[in-house]
């Protein structure tokens, strides 16, 4: 089926610095189930990018296969998008990024897409510190193939079918930390206040910015026995910090009196402002992040917020020393050595 | 020379085989041998016969030399140079009666291995090295140079040519020249002093090589990718394709460093596997760069899903498949042409891919560069089918050429201005020109126009998801039309007709060319003229179908068990399979002309007794 979106624009719709309204950042109407967590994440992406005043065509949307991977149709309609094959978005994003380092790459994947079939590609994109934001819409199940347990389902968690999952869960945030990810966060689709600034910080980060977003599947995994349903997640959520993303030279919003605040300055001068709820987390230490996540987990709680970031990270292009301009813009004169050089090569082969 | 051999002197027609141990530095000595013959103006076709091993196992290097321009293999070893006791028993058996077995006689030969129909030439290689050199590695390395020196005396290799090669090889490390020349002299003198030189097989300078070059096909592909404007390569190592990307990198490091910034005007990513390698290529091509990967059979299997995506979503990609003997890991260091069907129809659903098939390094270079044009013009994967024989062996070739006026053909791409001025709605999959090829846009071109969603699911002409059957069928039909359009862009077949034409036609492709063309000469000498047609691309040009129609007896020569190109012809051109006789050599070694001659004679002896054969329908 196709949906035609009514062309309606309120004359007083707020615009961003570029003069675009939020509508310029929206996509076509979602065909996901009503109440699906993934739609809220799409909304958060639209909100963040609108507020950051990024020209929509400067973004490339990348995804794999799954309900989650369909969402790029539902946000940023003026950006090119690439819905690739199941679990292989990281490689397509890698190639795209190599071709044009000037675009911003927004990757969206599912827990099946990233923690099972695409685990290898996920790991290697992390390891190469590919410059992109990578969101996993984590519902603990395979939505699109009707609710099978995924590798992120917790031990004992029950999907709608009612059978407890016997296997250990893969925690993608922990895996990313161990693989050397330079930005790792966790959030919840129902917590836009936390998610929107996290997305902004992830986009501003230079390198691989990973956000594991718990995103309930209302159709197959939102029942009482599930640890990835709305109710369970809301009841067990614990934020380690709230985040505010401050573009260059803007005033920082204040924290509440009983909270400590910390600022992390990014490569482009923008600032990530943390209001800490738990002073024990040191966002500059992988070990601290891993320990805290485990501590909360043992306690039956889910730690959210910015877990780790390295503001000085070197992304893939820097590591391979490739040209500063987009490679795709190079022309014959930059690329082709010409016939004289070829004659010399011929001569050396005689 | 010993009396018991009744031999007539023979000039410029021999096969020398070196039996070495992997990892002992024999390669550079053997290359020097082949290159020397090349510089003497002779036709050489060296073949590495190596194990899937890094050190210790037997490895051979076979060089056929002649002055008729033949580059195929020939059966029968005239001179075996044996430096490997492990394989000695078998190596002795391979020598033709009247031939020579050159060996290290520091230790006496096991008398049980002796044959009295060949001549044994003992060189005390180990002893000479023990006397001359202190260092163990030197003793091993110079042993190789010494036997080349001995061969110079035995078969008349011009000594100046050898010293010239040493000088070239050690340019910048001049200290090494004298010791190497000395080693050559040691071998030369020993042979001169102890044997009746030259043997009955000798070499003589010819001037028939013109401006030809000697290079392996993989290096030529890597260079072609540089000239063709590739900026991105994603790859995963696999024999025999590895040296394609290695060559690309080597040439890029020499010719693609930005003079102003010192930065690289290219990006090479060693992927985690072949799925990722082709995924990267597709991502980069989608985003407007020219990108490629190189692999071999197992990699093609892994890339299949992505190739289907690129076909259906119409994304350029260049894939160089250097074929080896399958199935599975097969014989990973032996040659074959057995990925034809796997590549032509790679991936599930109705898919077809454009194939280009080179036979020489020059064609590797040309077709690699051209593949980037084709991929972008046709917006689809282009798969180049080469093989281990062409890819990893030095092949004599016409020199590379480049027209400095040449512009890259970037295909139908709308830029920001075109989008700005566009009044109608942009349809990514709309066949505006009737050739089945739609217009595309690169991401990041225009803030409000020209964006679309690339997907492997069915969609309408405006890239909007649809499960409407007729929209799906329309799109699939357009893809067929595009494939038809491809025929006018891909390399044309090469048809060589016998002087007066013939009713016998031989189809061949890739490295089967050398043996086939030589076989055509041999058959003509025996009074059976044949026409030949070399397939250089899929989809098949009309001329190929006509060639089949015009000949009463048609052979298809290929290096696989299942006659894969024949199946493709039968399937795509609706040809009666009985019309295509199979000639299949697939033991992992390059074909010989004699093999083809025998097969042709077997068949033509049964179906025809009229000689010489005349073509039924005239035409060129
Ligand atoms: C190679 C391949 N195998 C299987 C599938 C079928 N498939 C489609 S989506 C999916 C699982 C998606 O799960 P997830 O990534 O968690 O996304 P969700 O739908 O839960 O958002 C599977 C197995 C496929 N498309 N491709
Ligand atoms: S099946 Fe689940 S994941 Fe998929 S759209 Fe419905 S609620 Fe969302
Ligand atoms: Mg899921």
């Amino acid at each position: 089926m196709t949906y035609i979106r009514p062309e309606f624009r309120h004359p007083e719709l707020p615009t961003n610095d570029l003069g675009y309204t939020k509508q310029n950042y929206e996509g076509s109407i979602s065909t996901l189930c009503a109440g699906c967590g993934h739609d809220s994440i799409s909304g958060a992406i639209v909100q963040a990018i609108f507020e950051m005043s990024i020209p929509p065509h400067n973004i490339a949307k990348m995804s794999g296969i799954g309900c989650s991977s369909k969402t790029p149709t539902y946000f940023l309609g003026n950006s090119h998008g690439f819905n690739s094959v199941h679990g292989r978005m990281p490689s397509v994003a890698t190639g795209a990024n190599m071709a044009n380092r000037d675009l911003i790459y927004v990757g969206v994947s599912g827990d099946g897409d990233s923690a099972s079939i695409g685990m290898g590609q996920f790991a290697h994109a992390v390891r190469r510190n590919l410059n992109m934001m990578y969101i996993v819409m984590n519902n603990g199940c395979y939505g699109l193939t009707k609710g099978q347990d995924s590798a992120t389902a917790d031990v004992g968690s029950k999907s709608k079918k009612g059978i407890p999952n016997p296997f250990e869960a893969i925690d993608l945030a922990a895996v990313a930390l161990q693989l050397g990810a330079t930005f790792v966060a966790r959030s919840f689709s129902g917590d836009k206040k936390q998610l929107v600034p996290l997305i902004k910080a992830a986009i501003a980060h230079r390198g691989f910015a990973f956000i594991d977003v718990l995103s309930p599947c209302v159709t197959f995994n939102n029942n009482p026995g599930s640890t990835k349903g709305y109710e369970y997640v809301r009841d067990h959520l614990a934020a380690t910090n709230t985040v505010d993303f401050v573009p260059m030279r803007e005033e920082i919003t204040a924290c509440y009196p009983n909270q400590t605040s910390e600022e992390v300055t990014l490569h482009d001068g923008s600032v990530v402002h943390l209001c800490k709820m738990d002073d024990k987390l040191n966002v500059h230490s992988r070990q601290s992040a891993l320990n805290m996540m485990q501590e909360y987990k043992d306690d039956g709680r889910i730690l959210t917020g910015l877990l780790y970031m390295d503001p000085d990270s070197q992304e893939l292009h820097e590591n391979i020393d490739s040209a500063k301009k987009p490679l795709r813009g190079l022309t014959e004169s930059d690329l082709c050595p010409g016939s004289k050089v070829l004659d010399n090569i011929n001569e050396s082969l005689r | 020379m010993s009396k018991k051999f009744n031999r007539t002197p023979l000039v410029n027609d021999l096969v020398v085989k070196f039996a070495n141990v992997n990892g002992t530095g024999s390669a550079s000595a053997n290359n020097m041998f082949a290159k020397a013959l090349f510089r003497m103006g002779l036709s050489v076709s060296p073949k590495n016969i190596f194990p899937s091993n890094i050190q210790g196992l037997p490895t051979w290097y076979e060089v056929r030399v002649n002055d008729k321009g033949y580059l195929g293999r020939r059966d029968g070893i005239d001179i075996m140079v044996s430096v490997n006791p492990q394989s000695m028993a078998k190596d002795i058996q391979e020598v033709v009666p009247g031939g020579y077995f050159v060996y290290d006689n520091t230790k006496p030969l096991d008398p049980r291995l002796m044959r009295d129909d060949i001549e044994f030439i003992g060189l005390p290689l180990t002893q000479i090295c023990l006397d001359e050199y202190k260092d163990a590695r030197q003793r091993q390395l110079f042993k190789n140079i010494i036997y080349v020196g001995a061969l110079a005396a035995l078969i008349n290799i011009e000594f100046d040519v050898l010293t010239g090669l040493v000088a070239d090889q050690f340019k910048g490390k001049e200290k090494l020249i004298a010791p190497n020349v000395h080693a050559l002299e040691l071998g030369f003198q020993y042979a001169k002093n102890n044997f009746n030189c030259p043997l009955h097989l000798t070499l003589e300078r010819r001037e028939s090589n013109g401006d030809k070059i000697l290079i392996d096909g993989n290096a030529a592909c890597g260079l072609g990718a540089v000239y063709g404007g590739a900026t991105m390569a994603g790859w995963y190592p696999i024999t025999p394709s590895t040296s394609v990307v290695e060559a690309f990198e080597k040439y890029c490091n020499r010719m693609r460093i930005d003079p102003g910034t010192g930065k690289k005007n290219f990006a090479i990513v060693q992927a985690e596997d072949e799925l990722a390698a082709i995924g990267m290529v597709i991502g980069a091509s989608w985003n407007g760069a020219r990108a490629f990967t190189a692999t071999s059979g197992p990699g093609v299997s892994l890339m299949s899903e992505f190739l289907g995506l690129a076909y259906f979503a119409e994304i350029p990609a260049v894939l160089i498949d250097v074929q080896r003997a399958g199935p599975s890991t097969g014989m990973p260091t032996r040659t074959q042409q057995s990925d034809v069907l796997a590549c032509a129809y790679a991936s599930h659903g109705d898919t077809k891919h454009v194939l280009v098939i080179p036979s020489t390094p020059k064609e590797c270079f040309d077709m690699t560069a051209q593949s980037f044009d084709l991929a972008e013009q046709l917006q689809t994967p282009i798969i180049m089918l080469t093989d281990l024989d062409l890819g990893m062996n030095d092949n004599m070739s016409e020199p590379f050429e480049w027209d400095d006026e040449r512009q890259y053909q970037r295909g139908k791409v709308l830029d920001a201005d075109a989008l700005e001025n566009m009044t109608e709605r942009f349809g990514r999959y709309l066949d505006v020109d009737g050739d089945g090829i739609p217009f595309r846009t690169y991401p990041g071109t225009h803030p409000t126009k020209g964006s679309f969603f690339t997907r492997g699911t069915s969609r309408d002409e405006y890239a909007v998801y649809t499960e409407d059957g007729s929209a799906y069928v329309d799109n699939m039909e357009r893809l067929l039309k595009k494939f038809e359009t491809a025929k006018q862009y891909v390399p044309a077949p090469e048809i060589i007709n016998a002087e007066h034409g013939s009713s016998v036609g031989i189809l061949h492709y890739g490295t089967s060319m050398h043996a086939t063309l030589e076989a055509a000469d041999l058959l003509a000498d025996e009074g059976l003229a044949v026409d030949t047609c070399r397939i250089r691309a899929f989809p098949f040009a009309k001329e190929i179908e006509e060639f089949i129609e015009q000949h009463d007896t048609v052979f298809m020569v290929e290096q696989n068990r299942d006659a894969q190109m024949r199946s493709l012809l039968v399937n795509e051109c609706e040809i009666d399979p009985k019309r295509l006789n199979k000639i299949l050599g697939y033991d992992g070694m390059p074909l010989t002309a004699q093999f083809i001659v025998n097969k042709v004679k077997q068949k033509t002896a049964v179906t025809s007794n009229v000689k010489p054969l005349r073509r039924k329908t005239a035409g060129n």
Side-chain angles (χ1 to χ4, degrees):
Chain A
M1 64 198 128
T2 34
Y3 292 84
I4 311 287
R5 183 178 263 284
E7 260 306 326
F8 169 77
R9 194 203 255 214
H10 197 278
E12 277 141 53
L13 274 182
T15 55
N16 63 12
D17 291 351
L18 298 172
Y20 291 122
T21 68
K22 216 167 120 184
Q23 268 192 345
N24 293 105
Y25 294 87
E26 284 169 355
S28 47
I29 287 175
S30 171
T31 60
L32 301 183
C33 308
C36 174
H38 300 351
D39 278 335
S40 313
I41 303 173
S42 298
I45 293 172
V46 170
Q47 182 78 28
I49 293 173
F50 164 69
E51 287 176 10
M52 287 176 90
S53 294
I54 297 170
H57 67 305
N58 283 3
I59 293 189
K61 307 171 286 183
M62 317 299 293
S63 68
I65 296 287
C67 296
S68 36
S69 292
K70 283 182 177 186
T71 59
T73 347
Y74 317 136
F75 60 82
L76 301 174
N78 282 319
S79 311
H80 274 67
F82 197 149
N83 188 195
S84 64
V85 287
H86 196 18
R88 319 293 175 196
M89 174 266 277
S91 63
V92 179
T94 304
N97 189 306
M98 291 299 96
N100 186 356
R101 60 191 293 177
D102 284 354
L103 295 184
I104 292 164
Y105 295 89
V106 171
V108 170
S109 175
D111 43 319
D113 204 55
S114 285
S116 287
I117 191 166
M119 186 75 169
Q121 295 213 346
F122 171 73
H124 286 271
V126 173
R127 180 184 155 255
R128 293 190 190 103
N129 203 19
L130 182 67
N131 192 14
M132 74 180 298
M133 171 173 74
Y134 194 108
I135 290 181
V136 167
M137 300 181 170
N138 185 355
N139 54 14
C141 73
Y142 290 6
L144 194 57
T145 51
K146 301 197 180 236
Q148 300 81 3
D149 285 336
S150 82
T152 65
D154 291 307
V155 182
S157 178
K158 286 186 200 156
S159 72
K160 204 173 168 186
K161 287 179 192 136
I163 306 155
N165 166 40
F167 305 113
E168 260 315 312
I170 292 175
D171 181 341
L172 285 172
V175 169
L177 277 166
Q178 268 156 350
L179 290 167
T182 51
F183 180 110
V184 179
R186 173 133 54 213
S187 191
F188 171 45
S189 63
D191 186 356
K192 228 176 183 170
K193 258 178 90 178
Q194 185 195 46
L195 185 54
V196 171
L198 273 179
I199 291 173
K200 290 183 187 173
I203 286 177
H205 174 73
R206 182 173 55 193
F208 195 84
F210 176 61
I211 314 180
D212 179 29
V213 188
L214 300 172
S215 175
C217 167
V218 288
T219 307
F220 299 111
N221 204 14
N222 195 32
N223 41 296
S226 162
T227 60
K228 297 247 181 338
Y230 278 114
E231 207 180 339
Y232 183 92
V233 174
R234 280 219 173 90
D235 288 352
H236 295 78
L237 216 56
T240 181
N241 47 34
T242 60
V243 174
D244 209 354
F245 175 77
V246 188
M248 281 191 315
R249 290 181 304 277
E250 257 182 46
E251 210 182 309
I252 294 163
T253 30
C255 284
Y256 295 105
N258 59 339
Q259 296 170 340
T260 23
S261 85
E262 184 185 343
E263 289 166 26
V264 186
T265 308
L266 301 183
H267 63 103
D268 63 354
S270 51
V271 172
V272 173
H273 184 219
L274 294 167
C275 286
K276 295 188 164 192
M277 316 269 187
D278 187 331
D279 272 332
K280 275 199 289 182
L281 177 74
N282 171 5
V283 289
H284 304 293
S285 155
R286 281 175 202 288
Q287 199 51 51
S288 161
L290 284 165
N291 290 347
M292 292 283 287
M293 283 161 68
Q294 190 59 42
E295 236 171 70
Y296 276 72
K297 192 178 170 195
D298 292 346
D299 214 21
R301 290 188 296 161
I302 307 161
L303 184 63
T304 63
L306 179 62
L307 301 167
Y308 174 78
M309 92 180 281
D310 172 5
D312 302 320
S313 92
Q314 294 260 317
E315 59 112 349
L316 178 54
H317 275 286
E318 292 164 296
N319 284 327
I320 64 171
D321 207 24
S322 48
K324 287 261 195 275
K325 332 176 250 196
L327 291 176
R328 81 129 181 253
L330 301 176
T331 60
E332 281 87 346
S333 60
D334 308 297
L335 300 175
C336 185
S339 63
K340 276 227 175 64
V341 175
L342 198 56
D343 290 344
N344 291 336
I345 292 175
N346 281 327
E347 199 41 50
S348 72
L349 299 168
R350 289 184 182 122
Chain B
M1 217 177 283
S2 157
K3 284 263 161 48
K4 66 179 174 175
F5 300 104
N6 186 13
R7 302 187 279 217
T8 32
L10 200 57
V11 180
N12 291 346
D13 184 7
L14 65 138
V15 177
V16 184
K17 189 167 177 178
F18 300 86
N20 303 99
V21 180
N22 214 13
T24 55
S26 54
S28 76
N30 295 347
N31 286 334
M32 186 199 295
F33 171 81
K35 189 104 184 222
L37 311 196
F38 171 70
R39 286 196 178 175
M40 284 174 68
L42 303 170
S43 307
V44 281
S45 42
K47 307 286 176 208
N48 286 292
I49 306 158
F50 59 101
S52 184
N53 159 269
I54 303 302
Q55 201 178 45
L57 287 187
T59 166
W60 293 270
Y61 186 76
E62 190 181 295
V63 184
R64 178 187 176 192
V65 51
N66 63 85
D67 55 15
K68 295 201 179 71
Y70 295 141
L71 299 179
R73 269 186 78 234
R74 196 202 76 188
D75 279 330
I77 307 301
D78 299 301
I79 301 175
M80 178 72 77
V81 179
S82 159
V83 224
N84 184 4
Q86 271 176 297
S87 62
M88 202 175 253
K90 185 171 166 270
D91 294 335
I92 290 176
Q93 290 311 312
E94 272 193 35
V95 181
V96 295
Y100 304 88
F101 188 77
V102 180
Y103 68 107
D104 184 352
N105 68 351
T106 306
K107 272 197 207 145
L109 199 65
D110 182 341
R112 286 169 303 177
L113 294 179
M114 295 301 258
R115 275 171 61 181
D116 51 16
D117 60 342
I118 62 171
E119 192 171 336
F120 286 81
I121 296 183
L123 306 171
L125 294 171
T126 306
Q127 192 57 52
I128 298 177
C129 288
L130 275 175
D131 297 344
E132 282 287 323
Y133 307 106
K134 299 228 154 42
D135 174 72
R137 184 67 186 156
Q138 279 196 337
R139 283 174 179 163
Q140 189 178 56
L141 288 178
F142 283 121
K143 208 193 259 187
N144 304 316
I145 305 292
I146 292 171
Y147 67 64
V148 175
L151 280 171
L154 292 169
I155 58 172
N156 275 354
I157 305 170
E158 292 173 16
F159 204 79
D160 286 355
V161 171
L162 287 174
T163 52
L165 281 165
V166 169
D168 284 356
Q169 191 186 341
F170 297 108
K171 211 167 257 161
K173 299 180 224 160
E174 272 73 14
K175 271 212 310 239
L176 294 174
I177 296 177
N180 275 280
V181 171
H182 178 62
L184 283 170
E185 277 163 352
L186 286 172
F188 188 88
Q189 284 311 331
Y190 187 90
K192 261 255 140 51
N193 298 340
N194 293 279
F195 304 100
N196 205 349
C197 291
L199 309 175
H200 83 288
L201 300 169
T202 54
L203 302 178
E204 245 173 46
R205 174 172 285 278
R206 293 284 182 268
E207 299 303 335
S208 50
N209 283 349
D211 57 359
K212 288 211 172 72
I213 55 172
L214 188 64
I215 185 176
D216 61 270
N218 284 356
C221 288
L223 188 61
V226 175
Y227 274 75
T231 50
M232 202 271 152
W235 73 296
Y236 190 78
I238 182 170
T239 305
S241 72
T242 300
S243 51
V244 173
V245 179
E246 285 175 348
F248 177 67
E249 181 162 26
K250 181 187 87 180
Y251 287 122
C252 278
N253 281 329
R254 265 165 47 187
M255 310 189 285
R256 279 280 192 81
I257 303 296
D258 189 273
T261 61
K263 298 265 176 208
K264 293 175 177 172
N265 281 336
F266 62 97
I268 298 173
V269 182
Q270 185 182 322
E272 52 272 34
D273 54 33
E274 286 87 348
L275 288 85
I278 190 74
M280 290 173 192
V281 170
I282 289 170
S285 305
W286 170 77
N287 213 357
R290 294 192 146 191
F292 79 104
T293 186
T295 190
S296 191
V300 171
S301 295
L302 288 185
M303 291 178 185
S304 285
E305 187 191 21
F306 256 132
L307 287 170
L309 172 76
Y311 172 78
F312 194 52
E314 300 181 68
I315 302 165
V318 173
L319 159 58
I320 298 171
D321 174 17
V322 188
Q323 298 166 96
R324 65 189 210 184
S328 189
T329 309
M331 291 197 288
T333 57
R334 295 291 185 270
T335 199
Q336 234 173 39
Q337 298 177 311
S338 50
D339 295 345
V340 176
L341 288 173
C343 287
Y345 296 137
S347 211
H348 55 277
D350 292 322
T351 50
K352 295 183 206 239
H353 303 290
V354 174
L355 309 177
V356 295
I357 312 169
S359 294
T360 65
K362 171 147 198 309
E363 285 191 343
C364 286
F365 175 85
D366 288 342
M367 289 188 189
T368 303
Q370 189 192 2
S371 290
F372 294 99
D373 283 350
L374 289 173
E376 292 190 322
Q377 286 172 310
L378 297 165
Q379 301 178 18
T380 200
I382 307 295
I383 305 178
M384 181 194 273
L385 283 179
T386 109
D387 61 27
L388 181 142
D389 180 22
L390 174 56
M392 288 188 72
N393 290 318
D394 276 343
N395 275 255
M396 260 172 56
S397 168
E398 295 300 326
F400 305 130
E401 286 167 28
W402 190 262
D403 174 4
D404 289 324
E405 301 298 305
R406 176 168 168 176
Q407 302 261 306
Y408 297 149
Q409 303 297 314
R410 306 294 317 250
K412 296 185 188 176
V413 182
L414 296 174
D415 61 13
D417 287 344
L419 286 170
E420 185 60 40
N421 297 329
M422 208 164 158
T423 47
E424 67 278 20
R425 182 178 172 202
F426 166 64
R428 167 66 183 102
Y429 297 107
L430 204 57
D431 184 7
V432 216
D433 306 326
D435 56 3
I437 307 171
F439 280 85
R440 64 179 187 135
T441 55
Y442 301 151
T445 305
H446 192 282
T448 54
K449 286 173 158 184
S451 72
F452 66 96
F453 199 60
T454 303
R455 47 167 29 116
T457 39
S458 65
R459 71 270 136 162
D460 64 15
E461 292 165 324
Y462 297 92
V464 176
Y465 179 73
T466 176
E467 287 172 9
D468 177 49
S470 66
Y472 167 82
V473 169
D474 286 350
N475 184 57
M476 292 298 281
E477 291 295 322
R478 182 181 55 75
L479 287 172
L480 264 190
K481 192 202 274 180
K482 182 167 88 167
F483 206 66
E484 195 58 33
T485 302
K487 287 183 182 173
Q488 71 198 57
Y489 291 105
V490 298
E494 185 183 73
I495 295 173
I496 301 177
N497 287 323
E499 209 172 318
H500 304 289
S502 169
S503 64
V504 179
I506 306 183
L507 290 157
H508 61 105
Y509 60 95
T511 53
S512 299
M513 174 186 82
H514 301 299
T516 304
L517 295 185
E518 185 181 346
D521 279 3
L522 295 177
L523 286 164
D525 289 349
E526 296 188 30
L528 177 66
V530 296
D531 299 336
T532 59
C533 171
R534 178 157 68 95
I535 299 170
R536 300 203 305 158
F538 174 66
F540 298 120
K542 198 172 75 263
E543 293 94 314
I544 298 171
E545 288 183 62
E546 286 168 1
F547 182 88
I548 297 169
E549 267 167 35
Q550 287 165 2
H551 292 84
D552 294 337
T553 310
V554 185
F555 294 91
M556 177 77 243
V557 180
E558 44 188 326
Q559 299 170 51
N560 58 65
R561 184 192 69 179
D562 292 343
Q564 296 189 22
M565 187 63 86
R566 177 176 174 274
S567 298
L568 198 59
L569 280 165
V570 165
N571 194 40
E572 295 286 329
C573 308
E574 294 182 20
I575 289 166
D576 177 359
K578 291 198 194 76
R579 298 271 294 116
L580 295 176
N581 298 289
K582 309 175 211 178
I583 298 182
L584 308 169
Y586 63 96
D587 63 358
M589 291 300 288
L591 293 180
T592 66
Q594 199 56 51
F595 175 79
I596 297 172
V597 167
N598 294 346
K599 297 278 179 187
V600 171
K601 287 208 302 206
Q602 268 169 26
K603 177 74 190 174
T604 47
V606 184
T607 56
S608 150
N609 40 27
V610 191
K611 274 190 198 181
L613 290 171
R614 286 268 177 259
R615 173 201 310 246
K616 191 179 63 180
T617 342
N620 280 304

